[in-house]
Amino acid sequence: MESPVRVESQLTDKGYVPVYTTAVVEQPWDSYTDTDHAVWAQLFERQKRILPGLACDEFIAALDAMEMTPDRIPKFADLNPILHAATGWELIGVEGLLPELTFFEHLAQRRFPVTWWIRKPEQMDYLAEPDLFHDLFGHVPLLMNPVFADYMAAYGRGGVKAHGIGTDALVNLTRLYWYTVEFGLIRQGKSGQKDDLRIYGSGIVSSKGESIHCLHSDAPNRIGFDLERIMRTRYRIDTYQKTYFVIDSFEQLMDATGPDFAPIYGRLATQESIPAGDVLETDAVYHRGTGEGWLADGDV
Ligand code: HBI
Ligand code: FE
């Protein structure tokens, strides 16, 4: 089959405008170039080397269980039987960002959309949109964990409902996704000290710089998980996060998102959003950031 031509996102003067497509594509594995495989190898080996001691045990164990290797880009067809046996999830190939409702519907059906193309060598350390490495290395391993896998499916069902409620609900829910699935931290030890925190967020584990920054820099806040507080909190797209939220366990995440969100959306609609770098009186503060290097504007 001819390899699909990548749908280039619109890089405009306003920055990156995603081209949302709903198409599900077969992974064009034979069309990957040696450069594509080399980019995978470099990113995979670098993260495998630095993540022990930074990423949570569940992530490291899942990465091993999936038997992904650096020598070449994994085949979705090889990974799906392993993933499906563990938690009923499967990978589907997509062009990139999906319209929100499409994305939620896939998650609700335990289908994780993985971008089929991988970044170019010159994009090694940053690209504006999720590529194969962000999705496959960042998001997929934790879908091997039964509790987190259930949370992701519940998130999808919640997203479909939120889509029916309206934009404000979707904004609240996107913040939850951002501060847990993408940029979440988890307590690994029991003392609650800074050095007991570990990473589970996909946006962090797929980034060398942020994997180190989120735990070892004094700049960001590290604050205990609080569902409604998170759903009010604005975030950063193009810089490291100003605040990272810490869960005690994946069970805590699952329990917190069990209730019907409709009354929560109602309460949140009457409250102001919270700037990304603020610390509230009511926060359980693990670390109050110095704010070094923060940009004043740009919170979304
Ligand atoms: N589409 N493929 C893909 N991957 C995502 O992570 C994704 C998406 N569409 C929308 C989206 N994430 C966020 O807006 C979620 O909060 C819904
Ligand atoms: Fe992501």
Side-chain angles (χ1 to χ4, degrees), residues 20 94 96-100 103-104 113 130 135 139 155 174 177 182:
Y20 287 91
V94 293
L97 287 176
L98 301 172
E100 286 180 325
F103 180 64
F104 294 138
D135 286 334
H139 281 285
Y155 183 90
T174 294
Y177 189 85
E182 293 292 357

Side-chain angles (χ1 to χ4, degrees), residues 272-285:
E272 289 293 304
S273 65
I274 299 166
D278 279 15
V279 178
L280 308 185
E281 285 300 302
T282 46
D283 283 337
V285 179

Side-chain angles (χ1 to χ4, degrees), residues 139-151:
H139 281 285
V140 171
L142 272 183
L143 293 174
M144 294 284 284
N145 175 282
V147 181
F148 190 79
D150 287 350
Y151 171 68

Side-chain angles (χ1 to χ4, degrees), residues 172 175-176 225-233 245 256 260-261 263-269 271-274 280:
N172 295 147
R175 290 169 177 162
L176 174 63
F225 176 89
D226 172 329
L227 180 70
E228 296 189 28
R229 194 291 194 209
I230 284 176
M231 293 173 87
R232 294 175 54 202
T233 306
F245 288 93
D260 174 23
F261 275 17
I264 297 176
Y265 294 136
R267 266 198 300 284
L268 293 172
Q271 296 171 306
E272 289 293 304
S273 65
I274 299 166
L280 308 185

Side-chain angles (χ1 to χ4, degrees), residues 105-164:
E105 286 167 345
H106 282 311
L107 296 188
Q109 300 296 322
R110 295 188 179 242
R111 290 191 299 266
F112 194 84
V114 177
T115 304
W116 67 263
W117 51 265
I118 195 164
R119 68 191 74 181
K120 296 292 168 248
E122 57 273 20
Q123 299 171 304
M124 197 63 78
D125 289 316
Y126 182 74
L127 74 164
E129 56 187 320
D131 73 331
L132 180 138
F133 187 76
H134 170 90
D135 286 334
L136 188 51
F137 186 92
H139 281 285
V140 171
L142 272 183
L143 293 174
M144 294 284 284
N145 175 282
V147 181
F148 190 79
D150 287 350
Y151 171 68
M152 287 293 280
Y155 183 90
R157 293 194 296 276
V160 171
K161 275 194 252 174
H163 191 269

